[in-house]
Amino acid sequence: MTKNKVLICTFFALSSGFFGAYMGSQITFMLHSQRCQNQPWAMKELCNFWVTPGATWQGSTTGIWVGTILGAFAGGLFIREN
């Protein structure tokens, strides 16, 4: 039973970490790309091209940490015994 608990908690932590990385990168990219909205078309595309890697890295790193911690907490709540 102990192995199942570890596997369940690990699954919760990893799956929510990956989901958090995806959502964090999308949200951070949207926030960073708002700075590019008042530019002409070519400059807006160049600005988005410049902003994308940093925003994706920052958001996914933050998202994977927060998602993993919250997922491990949720997994622990799911497998605890009364």
Side-chain angles (χ1 to χ4, degrees):
M1 185 66 177
T2 304
K3 288 183 183 179
N4 289 340
K5 288 182 180 182
V6 171
L7 288 176
I8 290 170
C9 196
T10 302
F11 174 76
F12 269 98
L14 289 177
S15 61
S16 67
F18 289 133
F19 180 72
Y22 174 73
M23 292 303 294
S25 66
Q26 294 297 314
I27 291 169
T28 307
F29 171 70
M30 286 191 297
L31 290 174
H32 283 225
S33 67
Q34 284 181 350
R35 289 186 248 168
C36 305
Q37 295 302 317
N38 295 331
Q39 304 290 332
W41 176 77
M43 290 302 292
K44 182 165 64 169
E45 295 301 319
L46 185 62
C47 181
N48 282 331
F49 178 75
W50 185 260
V51 165
T52 300
T56 303
W57 180 258
Q58 181 184 5
S60 64
T61 304
T62 304
I64 201 164
W65 279 104
V66 172
T68 302
I69 291 169
L70 291 177
F73 181 73
L77 288 175
F78 182 74
I79 62 171
R80 81 178 167 107
E81 296 175 6
N82 291 331

